[in-house]
Amino acid sequence: MTTPVEFIVLHQTKIKDNAIVVHTLSREYGRRSFIVSIKAGSSMSLFLPLNILEAEIVENSKSQLWRAKNIISKEALMGIRQNIHKNNMTLFMSEVLFKSVFEGVYEDGLYEWCRKVILELDALSGGYSEFNMKFLLELCMALGFAPAAEDLEPFTSPLEKDNLEALLRYLSYHLDTKLNIQSLKVLRELYAF
């Protein structure tokens, strides 16, 4: 049985020369990974972080890892892909989503919120550094914990001027996992915070 499903790319893992596992977020399945066959010489740009794609999903009762095929792009995201600042922000956003929304987890409304945020970033003409903070605050709310300023105090260092770190620690605490976000270093270099 095949079902057309729209999803957001969070991460990809190469498993062989002709196959990858695409870690996704969708309305139908929440966070779920699919195996995708790759033809030799195919462009991997289709699977860039936060791309919004549609594929036919082939369910397999003998495996947890279903197959995605006939994949097409649903949104061009030219505003993101042609801007180094926005493109680097997608690395940060997708890494945070990949590490904070666990495989098999379904959060009602999370997919719709993520899709809206991606299109918002695509259309954004400035204020990129503030967008990171907005993204993390809204993610906290989408996952069910809306921090007030006083809620962040235990997670903020007195010497720290970067509130992204405090929000990541707040998120880590509520998810009961350590969010070690590697792409934060790139954002610091871009925005000097």
Side-chain angles (χ1 to χ4, degrees):
M1 181 178 109
T2 62
T3 311
V5 171
E6 184 179 288
F7 58 78
I8 296 167
V9 175
L10 301 182
H11 188 68
Q12 60 165 292
T13 307
K14 184 176 178 178
I15 53 172
K16 334 185 231 188
D17 286 341
N18 63 348
I20 60 172
V21 172
V22 179
H23 309 277
T24 72
L25 182 66
S26 71
R27 182 181 298 111
E28 290 80 1
Y29 300 114
R31 165 76 190 280
R32 180 150 194 143
S33 300
F34 302 103
I35 191 164
V36 176
S37 296
I38 304 293
K39 293 185 176 115
S42 295
S43 170
M44 295 301 289
S45 63
L46 190 60
F47 304 103
L48 288 171
L50 299 189
N51 272 356
I52 301 171
L53 308 177
E54 185 178 83
E56 291 176 19
I57 303 301
V58 182
E59 297 182 13
N60 182 346
S61 60
K62 297 178 182 173
S63 172
Q64 292 270 344
L65 194 59
W66 297 346
R67 185 167 293 280
K69 63 180 193 172
N70 299 327
I71 301 169
I72 59 168
S73 175
K74 291 294 284 183
E75 300 287 345
L77 302 182
M78 297 308 288
I80 289 174
R81 300 305 170 210
Q82 295 177 350
N83 182 307
I84 190 167
H85 295 283
K86 291 184 188 182
N87 217 27
N88 282 311
M89 288 177 70
T90 64
L91 297 176
F92 171 75
M93 292 163 63
S94 64
E95 184 181 1
V96 169
L97 287 165
F98 177 68
K99 291 181 176 177
S100 61
V101 180
F102 305 113
E103 186 78 16
V105 167
Y106 182 89
E107 290 282 344
D108 195 33
L110 184 61
Y111 176 79
E112 289 79 6
W113 170 77
C114 283
R115 192 181 203 288
K116 177 185 76 74
V117 167
I118 293 164
L119 295 178
E120 219 175 285
L121 176 62
D122 190 53
L124 196 65
S125 59
Y128 307 131
S129 60
E130 291 85 25
F131 194 84
N132 299 316
M133 183 65 74
K134 177 184 181 308
F135 165 75
L136 283 179
L137 282 168
E138 287 185 9
L139 175 61
C140 287
M141 290 186 274
L143 294 176
F145 14 92
E150 59 271 13
D151 296 332
L152 294 176
E153 286 177 17
F155 303 97
T156 307
S157 157
L159 303 174
E160 188 173 68
K161 60 179 182 172
D162 175 13
N163 287 326
L164 286 179
E165 294 272 3
L167 270 171
L168 286 170
R169 284 193 291 272
Y170 175 85
L171 201 52
S172 292
Y173 173 79
H174 284 282
L175 294 171
D176 197 25
T177 188
K178 175 113 171 86
L179 294 177
N180 186 15
I181 307 300
Q182 300 297 314
S183 55
L184 190 57
K185 182 180 177 197
V186 175
L187 287 183
R188 276 199 200 105
E189 290 171 6
L190 273 176
Y191 300 111
F193 58 74

